[in-house]
Amino acid sequence: MKISVHNNWQFKAIDSLDWMPATVPGNVFTDLLDNHIIIDPFIETNEEKVQWVSKKTWEYKSIFTLSDDVLERKNIYLNLEGLDTYATIFLNDSLLGESNNAFIELNYNIKKIAKKENKIKIIFTNTDEKETVSESKNPYKLPEGKRIFTRKAQFQYGWDWGPKLNTSGVWKNVSIKAWNDAIIDDIFIRQKKLSAKKVTLLAEVKITCNEDLNIEKRVPSEIKINIDGLETIKKIRLKKGTHTYSIHLEIENPKLWWTHNLGDPYLYQFNFQLIADHQIKDEKSIKKGIRTIKLIAEKDSIGQSFYFELNGKPVYAKGSNYIPQNSFQNKVTNSHYEKILSDVVDSNMNMLRVWGGGIYENDIFYDLCDEKGILVWQDFMFACAMYPGDEAFLNNVKEEAEQQVIRLRNHTSIALWCGNNENSEAWDRWGWQENRSKKEKKEIWNDYLKVFDDILPKIVSKFSETDYWETSPKYGRGNPLYELEGDAHDWWVWHDEYHFEYLEKRVPRFMSEFGFQAFPSYETLKYINQNDTINLQTDAVKAHQKHVKGFRLIDEYMDRDYKKPSNDEDYVYVSQLLQAKGIVMGIEAHRRAKPRNMGTLYWQLNDCWPSISWSSIDNFGNWKALQYKAKKAYENILISSIIDKEEVKTFIINDTFENIEGNLKIKILDFYGKEIKSDSLKINVLENSSKEYYRISKKNIDKKAAVLVTEFNNQKSYFYFVKPKELVLPKGEIDKEIIKLESGFSITIKSTVLQKDVFLFTNNKGHFSDNFFDLLPNETKTIFFKTKAKSLDDLKIKTLNSI
């Protein structure tokens, strides 16, 4: 029996007498917002006005009632899934314990002190107070700041895309678990052997029992397992204490789990019942797919490979880096998870990297990745810092890692556990070793190795079947090996201000991070400013750009490739085109280099607040130009062209496991639809390959007024010979026809001239099926706008032609 303890919560500052209503799960910022004590830190320049919140100690309390039925149970436990972070817990004036890790679940046996009416109180000491003590005890100052001493979401201390909003509170579920004789603590389904005809599994069922059951009567208890309607019964002798029972299972002719772009992410439904005295004592269900997943990181003629092998097949990873969806996790609903992961599938992504400065995500995130066929690269929550190595900290890390690996290990989607984000690169390249003695440097590095080269890999190996990777990237970009071995974070573009073309010249084995910023949607900017006009010169907009060089870099890169607009609305639009251009250049270069390169994950998918950042989906869920263009660049079949001296080389990349025959059609058009050159040939595109199939000369072409259109089966590619700012784009009207549909509107457009980067926008909330696309002369294109709006009278269209 499980009872939620989410009602009747109150909170106050420790130095206040006024109790106010609180929400659990939640945090002190949202509780203060709900009680109109603070202003919304997501708008204007309000973030700086709420910093006092993190500096206080807060107290939460609630009263909950337990029924006679619950009180009569032999075992009653208080379960706290997550306290953020330094917390002291009392029940009925008895001290239960303390918490110092937001990622650890706490369980307390309250049988002896539980009553009909129960008072729970939790005091949250501010992190700075605790961190100051820890810092004073450490023999040397560690990078980066005091956050390293606290096991909580590191991004809450401020990042170059996120605000400083250091939360505290009961951030996860609180419940009472009551039971009598026996309970299933955990189930791990190991996959032992897989063939086309049969998969052999081993279910490890961990059971806690009050006393030996049925031993004297010699009537065995049993575990009944149902797998998609097929039943297996295992007779067991339930013994007092906690024991693990191993059960061998088989599935004939198993259906394999695949990523959504390569097959069906089929999940088997496993249901376990613990039966004793002819009664069901406990029951658990697990959805699990049958698959093999391996990280292949082996020495080869180039250096060291890095790719994922799914069911024995090398899979090209396409996706992005994922951060928490909100600075306040309680604001992230199940519908938010459903939307963003549906967007991932719709964008042809098959992998997300859960970045190490955020959180281990809620169960629903991994459930949906399992169901939708999305692989998950899971970082442990360590990012851009060096961490202490004292015994207490290491024991804390061990408990955190064990709990999280055990919690997530049945998820089919998890392809990798990675120790940290950029810690090793930073130690080598970011100046952290300067002015330190040899002894100090050695001790700091040894502490690093204790966590990432010893504790974490051992825990992953012991408790799961997933591969482990020490750090991402393997080498920083300052090391020449970054291009040849392991995974890479390539920030020569943006941070080091290299041109986009650099991404085409230096292609690593697996790109796990690279990115470029853009402004968010008009809706988001209006929200930041709390104004209905687009104004980028406000203090509010400046406060939502967290990178010190952000505005300057967008401006300078824009000068390189685009005509700079004279008004803010157009500037936002072109900034999104600029971001998309650079990242898609990288994606296509990586995919052309297959199998040398076997993955591309750009930074970043989403935002945690309204901001100017590297995201391709803004905080309101609006797709930037990058998301639309990445969707095309991540298609299983990609046509990609590149200039090589006086020729254009056209590649076709095939990520499927089938050979594909078809006609390759090539034509060069001017911007009014006149055909300049054309050709076609029948080709056979090999499975899981990238190959050049055609070359065409650029000579005798007006490069500023022509486009190369390449088609293969249902795929089409537009390639331009010069930068966008050099194109001589014609003026011309766009005709449109809007038809009301049950779920929104269809919009059909046409123009007599080429329209570059057509952008449709409206004040109505909704989603366009396509956007930021090129419209060929006299071509008719229909787009669908999914919305609840009744009319679309305010629909506007912007193109690069008008800039």
Side-chain angles (χ1 to χ4, degrees), residues 612-726:
I612 299 93
S613 79
W614 295 267
S615 72
S616 54
I617 301 177
D618 73 20
N619 190 240
F620 283 90
N622 299 305
W623 287 25
K624 297 182 186 177
L626 172 56
Q627 194 70 29
Y628 283 102
K629 290 180 182 278
K631 175 179 179 177
K632 295 180 177 68
Y634 281 152
E635 289 273 9
N636 271 350
I637 307 298
L638 172 68
I639 303 168
S640 178
S641 298
I642 187 170
I643 292 174
D644 183 11
K645 298 178 182 177
E646 289 302 311
E647 292 182 312
V648 177
K649 301 192 295 186
T650 296
F651 290 72
I652 297 181
I653 298 93
N654 177 9
D655 284 347
T656 75
F657 301 130
E658 297 178 356
N659 294 343
I660 300 173
E661 289 188 351
N663 289 317
L664 180 63
K665 300 176 184 177
I666 300 101
K667 59 184 176 182
I668 297 177
L669 302 175
D670 71 14
F671 293 162
Y672 296 90
K674 181 182 176 182
E675 189 175 287
I676 300 168
K677 290 183 181 181
S678 67
D679 198 2
S680 69
L681 67 158
K682 191 172 184 178
I683 60 172
N684 180 30
V685 178
L686 298 178
E687 66 170 295
N688 212 9
S689 68
S690 171
K691 182 182 174 183
E692 178 191 335
Y693 283 89
Y694 197 84
R695 291 192 181 200
I696 192 167
S697 174
K698 299 191 302 176
K699 291 180 179 178
N700 304 318
I701 296 170
D702 183 355
K703 301 175 188 64
K704 295 182 179 181
V707 58
L708 171 65
V709 182
T710 311
E711 295 182 63
F712 177 69
N713 293 357
N714 295 321
Q715 302 300 316
K716 185 180 284 189
S717 166
Y718 303 139
F719 180 82
Y720 297 87
F721 302 92
V722 295
K723 292 182 176 184
K725 70 178 181 181
E726 298 170 14

Side-chain angles (χ1 to χ4, degrees), residues 55 67 75 112 122 144 148 161 274 458 523 726 757:
K55 297 173 183 177
S67 67
N75 300 275
K112 293 180 179 179
I122 306 175
E144 288 265 294
I148 59 170
W161 39 257
L274 175 59
K458 285 179 178 177
E523 177 192 10
E726 298 170 14
D757 294 308

Side-chain angles (χ1 to χ4, degrees), residues 383-512:
C384 303
M386 299 303 281
Y387 290 85
D390 59 275
E391 186 178 0
F393 184 85
L394 296 180
N395 287 336
N396 202 0
V397 168
K398 285 178 186 177
E399 187 173 0
E400 170 191 323
E402 284 187 13
Q403 282 198 15
Q404 295 298 336
V405 171
I406 289 171
R407 177 174 77 93
L408 299 176
R409 61 186 175 179
N410 281 314
H411 285 286
T412 313
S413 54
I414 294 184
L416 185 70
W417 280 96
C418 180
N420 66 75
N421 173 77
E422 298 184 347
N423 295 12
S424 177
E425 174 190 6
W427 180 247
D428 287 338
R429 191 171 183 268
W430 294 4
W432 289 353
Q433 297 186 50
E434 293 176 8
N435 303 316
R436 295 184 189 271
S437 67
K438 286 185 179 180
K439 178 176 180 292
E440 187 174 310
K441 286 190 283 189
K442 183 178 180 181
E443 288 180 0
I444 292 172
W445 184 247
N446 283 342
D447 287 345
Y448 170 95
L449 293 176
K450 288 175 189 175
V451 176
F452 304 111
D453 204 40
D454 184 36
I455 292 172
L456 296 183
K458 285 179 178 177
I459 287 171
V460 171
S461 176
K462 179 179 179 180
F463 294 106
S464 81
E465 297 178 307
T466 307
D467 287 324
Y468 174 83
W469 188 248
E470 178 193 304
T471 183
S472 181
K474 179 174 182 180
Y475 297 110
R477 62 189 182 278
N479 188 326
L481 293 176
Y482 92 95
E483 190 182 351
L484 307 174
E485 296 186 17
D487 71 310
H489 294 189
D490 194 329
W491 287 103
W492 290 112
V493 170
W494 184 264
H495 286 304
D496 292 288
E497 305 183 28
Y498 283 32
H499 287 243
F500 287 146
E501 287 73 16
Y502 183 82
L503 293 169
E504 297 177 321
K505 297 173 184 175
R506 301 291 294 274
V507 177
R509 308 304 298 272
F510 190 106
M511 186 73 91
S512 48

Side-chain angles (χ1 to χ4, degrees), residues 46-62:
N46 292 351
E47 175 199 351
E48 65 186 49
K49 300 170 185 174
V50 300
Q51 292 306 308
W52 61 270
V53 175
S54 303
K55 297 173 183 177
K56 280 189 175 291
T57 291
W58 297 91
E59 186 174 346
Y60 279 72
K61 71 176 184 179
S62 180

